[in-house]
Every structure is written in structure tokens, then in C-alpha cells.
């Protein structure tokens, strides 16, 4: 899923990348990657609130993950700067 999602992402096929990751959420339960991938797509598209939402889902399912924590800080800072 990650490779396919990334290939779609770099080709700017964002809706398809999100769909692949949502499918992965239903099948893969041991990694935060699908949540984080969806968040990154939304962030790239400047949908920061949606990105934060998915990153919080990642955090609630995988608490204490340092990559998630750092991404949440970056997203919150980005949101604050946009105001």
C-alpha cells in the first residue's frame, strides 16, 4: 500500500492516494502509515484541518509515536502561521 500510495502521490493523483490509504486502514492495523499518508496528502493540498484530523487519529491509535508527535507539532504551527 505504501509504495502504491506514494507513486500516486508523486503523480499528484491525490484522491486515489487517499482512497488507497483508506482501504489500507481497513486491512492493516499494525502501522500508523495509512493515517499519516492521508494527513500528508491533505497537508500538501493545504487542507490543514483535515491533515490534523488524520494525524490525531494516528496518534490515538499509536500513542507516543515520535514521528506522529513531530508531525502534529508541525501541522499545528503551520495552522497558527496561516491565521
Amino acid at each position: 500500500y505504501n509504495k502504491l500510495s506514494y507513486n500516486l502521490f508523486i503523480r499528484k493523483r491525490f484522491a486515489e492516494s487517499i482512497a488507497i490509504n483508506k482501504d489500507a486502514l481497513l486491512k492493516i492495523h499494525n502501522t500508523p502509515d495509512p493515517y499519516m499518508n492521508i494527513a500528508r496528502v491533505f497537508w500538501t493540498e493545504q487542507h490543514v484541518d483535515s491533515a490534523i484530523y488524520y494525524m490525531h487519529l494516528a496518534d490515538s491509535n499509536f500513542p507516543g509515536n515520535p514521528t506522529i508527535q513531530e508531525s502534529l507539532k508541525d501541522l499545528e504551527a503551520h495552522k497558527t502561521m496561516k491565521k
Side-chain angles (χ1 to χ4, degrees):
Y1 283 97
N2 266 348
K3 287 182 183 181
L4 178 56
S5 168
Y6 178 73
N7 284 329
L8 292 167
F9 177 81
I10 61 172
R11 290 186 177 101
K12 298 185 182 193
R13 294 167 58 182
F14 299 131
E16 291 171 87
S17 180
I18 289 171
I20 288 296
N21 282 292
K22 285 184 175 181
D23 188 47
L25 287 174
L26 299 174
K27 297 175 182 174
I28 302 170
H29 305 285
N30 63 344
T31 177
D33 290 348
Y35 295 105
M36 295 174 66
N37 292 340
I38 293 169
R40 288 181 184 123
V41 171
F42 280 127
W43 193 353
T44 300
E45 292 187 300
Q46 299 299 309
H47 300 295
V48 177
D49 288 336
S50 295
I52 290 170
Y53 171 79
Y54 275 94
M55 204 57 76
H56 275 293
L57 285 176
D59 188 46
S60 68
N61 286 289
F62 298 91
N65 181 301
T67 304
I68 295 169
Q69 295 298 313
E70 192 63 34
S71 295
L72 273 170
K73 286 179 193 174
D74 291 344
L75 282 165
E76 292 290 352
H78 183 78
K79 182 178 177 179
T80 301
M81 289 184 343
K82 293 291 251 181
K83 287 184 179 182

